[in-house]
Amino acid sequence: AVVSTQSTGYVVVRGDLARSWPLGAIIAQACHASTAILHLYRDDGNVRKYTADLENMHKCILEVKSEDDLAALSEALTQDNVHHKLWIEQPENYPTCLAVKPYPKEEIKQHFKKLKLLQ
């Protein structure tokens, strides 16, 4: 079997907010988190490779049901040393989404296999 080494970025949004906030506000949250993670890890080899080929970037936009689920995912990622940015919206001071540093998909997909694509 051929294993792809192409990196994928994951963005995980709270589904409860996605159904109650305007679409533009949700997209803005995902963009904030995505921009932040690329900036925070701008010197990382995976990030450099990912951003060197802008036309071929891959992202999966997934959802969790609630703030508690987002917090649990963030904690699990932290425990496994998966670099990510939990986006905390200000001035409300609550988490809305998280973005994961681009990694080869095979390295981190197990964290996301139970999540659905954001609808």
Side-chain angles (χ1 to χ4, degrees):
V2 175
V3 176
S4 173
T5 59
Q6 180 163 24
S7 290
T8 299
Y10 286 88
V11 179
V12 182
V13 176
R14 284 176 47 191
D16 59 330
L17 297 182
R19 283 171 248 317
S20 59
W21 285 21
L23 179 60
I26 294 300
I27 292 171
Q29 297 301 301
C31 290
H32 292 328
S34 294
T35 302
I37 197 68
L38 291 177
H39 179 71
L40 289 169
Y41 292 96
R42 62 191 171 275
D43 296 325
D44 177 86
N46 283 342
V47 172
R48 286 179 179 257
K49 183 178 173 186
Y50 185 78
T51 57
D53 189 9
L54 295 177
E55 286 75 27
N56 291 297
M57 292 188 293
H58 286 272
K59 281 192 181 55
C60 290
I61 313 300
L62 306 171
E63 72 173 85
V64 291
K65 291 182 181 177
S66 66
E67 182 176 344
D68 288 344
D69 290 344
L70 188 65
L73 176 60
S74 180
E75 180 59 33
L77 293 172
T78 298
Q79 286 181 1
D80 280 357
N81 294 311
V82 175
H83 297 140
H84 66 285
K85 173 64 177 169
L86 180 63
W87 189 257
I88 309 292
E89 179 63 4
Q90 299 298 334
E92 295 86 353
N93 201 41
Y94 58 79
T96 58
C97 64
L98 64 77
V100 177
K101 182 187 84 175
Y103 284 92
K105 191 173 187 175
E106 292 297 318
E107 289 182 21
I108 60 169
K109 69 179 184 179
Q110 72 274 12
H111 292 285
F112 308 102
K113 64 184 175 199
K114 293 182 181 175
L115 302 181
K116 295 178 182 173
L117 291 174
L118 179 64
Q119 297 286 322

